[in-house]
Amino acid sequence: MNDMTPITTTLKDWETDQEVRWCPGCGDYAILKAVQRTLPQLGCDPKNTVFVSGIGCSSRFPYYIESYGFHTIHGRAPAVATGIKLANPELDIWLVTGDGDGLSIGGNHMMHVLRRNVNMQIMLFNNEIYGLTKGQASPTSREGTRSPSTPLGSYDHPAKPAAFALGSGARFVARGFDVSKKLPEVLIAAHAHKGAAFIEIFQNCIVYNKDVFDDFAAPKGAEDRQLWLEDGEPMLFAGGTKGLALDTVNLALAVVDVTDRDWQAAGVVVHDVRNRSLAHMLVEMPFGPFPMALGVLYDHPRPTYEDAVIAERAQASEGKQPDLAKLLGTGQTWTVDAAGEPV
């Protein structure tokens, strides 16, 4: 988040004249509208906002947001976004990437923008497939996924984006999904965090990986398998009939039944967004035996990278006057005569 004077805009102010071109039914449409509806709530200014993307279906995003934007190269969006932030720290940066762009060729760049804690919002659209290049298995594809690159089923163990972010030193990690009405709440929380805010957004690829998240993200009937986390609130799901308690023997979370809404008697854990160990347990929960943990998993700010760079620049230049001629003449210099010989 940047310290800025909020302005009044509407959804229309954030729509461009470009035809939105994703496959009919793609989850990216829902994410785009969620972002366009959220930006006015945040008081963002299109003239002070930059969307940066890499390569992939999600990376068409800058074309459809009426702000500044960079559609960069495969996996390098974090590096470009870091450069923009250092050049003008007042800009509000939104980085848009996918599971392939951000965790395969761009995994190293993603790791460094997170560990450095550059102040920006990072939205990683996870559809567990390479949608743009015709459906090959991606770093997040599940074991057994059949695709053009894994016709007999993938044998790779999939990467977990939220776990990757935590392991890279991210200070804000959250999850949502494309059609969720609560996605704007997650985006608002990410924007309020000063530092690198990482949001994994489960996104339905209607062509190559259709309905892969329906077990917890279907428009109807999947609510009981969602755990929406709120700081200071008990971890309850399934209409409050189940919750998560701490298994002190295995130092892990366990599902418990809650009777008569007495969650305290059941030992249900209260969510604490500043508890990094708890966040690790939440992202490592296997879906099926456990619900899908959604919302803000971890939020514990620390000083940002650009603040440290600015402070270093100020210290290095303190008491000095800019003098280009003096700088060029510093050290060993030579004057060359007409014959080309040093004097």
Side-chain angles (χ1 to χ4, degrees):
M1 181 188 72
N2 298 283
D3 296 326
M4 59 186 185
T5 302
I7 70 165
T8 301
T9 60
T10 66
L11 182 150
K12 292 292 183 184
D13 293 316
W14 295 93
E15 294 179 336
T16 70
D17 60 359
Q18 300 297 300
E19 178 188 358
V20 182
R21 300 183 65 182
W22 286 308
C23 301
C26 175
D28 288 353
Y29 286 98
I31 301 171
L32 174 63
K33 283 302 177 186
V35 172
Q36 289 173 329
R37 290 191 180 101
T38 302
L39 291 168
Q41 295 180 52
L42 298 172
C44 295
D45 184 348
K47 296 177 182 178
N48 196 49
T49 303
V50 185
F51 278 78
V52 184
S53 67
I55 295 295
C57 297
S58 63
S59 293
R60 297 187 62 81
F61 222 81
Y63 294 107
Y64 310 137
I65 298 285
E66 188 59 48
S67 70
Y68 292 105
F70 290 83
H71 187 175
T72 69
I73 56 179
H74 208 183
R76 273 64 178 180
V80 174
T82 298
I84 296 169
K85 192 66 178 179
L86 292 179
N88 188 350
E90 298 305 313
L91 292 174
D92 189 12
I93 311 278
W94 295 75
L95 192 153
V96 187
T97 186
D99 46 305
D101 181 65
L103 294 180
S104 184
I105 190 171
N108 58 331
H109 294 285
M110 183 64 70
M111 176 185 71
H112 295 308
V113 77
L114 292 172
R115 73 172 179 84
R116 286 173 173 150
N117 198 35
V118 185
N119 189 13
M120 65 181 71
Q121 297 74 236
I122 302 167
M123 298 187 294
L124 186 143
F125 299 6
N126 181 12
N127 55 22
E128 296 188 1
I129 210 74
Y130 278 106
L132 183 68
T133 53
K134 312 308 180 190
Q136 301 93 330
S138 86
T140 60
S141 294
R142 303 174 194 186
E143 293 177 30
T145 297
R146 292 180 179 270
S147 75
S149 60
T150 56
L152 300 181
S154 174
Y155 44 79
D156 281 350
H157 183 68
K160 297 178 181 178
F164 172 87
L166 282 170
S168 298
R171 307 296 293 191
F172 180 101
V173 179
R175 277 182 180 151
F177 60 91
D178 48 14
V179 297
S180 172
K181 294 180 180 179
K182 294 186 177 183
L183 181 57
E185 297 176 18
V186 177
L187 299 174
I188 290 170
H191 194 264
H193 175 90
K194 187 172 183 180
F198 181 89
I199 315 115
E200 177 186 7
I201 304 176
F202 297 105
Q203 177 257 324
N204 186 28
C205 177
I206 198 75
V207 176
Y208 296 111
N209 216 14
K210 187 175 184 291
D211 301 334
V212 71
F213 303 119
D214 265 8
D215 285 348
F216 68 87
K220 294 181 180 179
E223 295 84 357
D224 287 352
R225 294 179 289 279
Q226 301 171 13
L227 169 61
W228 281 97
L229 299 161
E230 293 186 38
D231 189 34
E233 296 296 326
M235 295 184 183
L236 297 170
F237 64 101
T241 63
K242 294 183 180 296
L244 295 182
L246 181 63
D247 177 351
T248 56
V249 174
N250 296 303
L251 292 179
L253 295 170
V255 175
V256 294
D257 293 321
V258 177
T259 305
D260 297 329
R261 295 192 174 276
D262 190 354
W263 59 268
Q264 290 171 309
V268 174
V269 176
V270 172
H271 186 43
D272 178 3
V273 294
R274 295 170 68 90
N275 189 325
R276 191 177 189 84
S277 297
L278 186 58
H280 275 288
M281 285 188 250
L282 287 166
V283 301
E284 291 296 340
M285 291 191 311
F287 177 71
F290 291 86
M292 179 57 68
L294 301 162
V296 179
L297 288 82
Y298 183 62
D299 184 359
H300 192 181
R302 67 172 173 83
T304 66
Y305 182 69
E306 66 274 11
D307 283 349
V309 171
I310 292 169
E312 182 185 61
R313 289 173 181 168
Q315 182 181 9
S317 60
E318 185 176 1
K320 298 178 181 178
Q321 294 296 323
D323 188 334
L324 180 60
K326 183 179 178 181
L327 176 64
L328 293 175
T330 300
Q332 293 181 323
T333 61
W334 295 267
T335 301
V336 178
D337 64 13
E341 296 294 332
V343 178

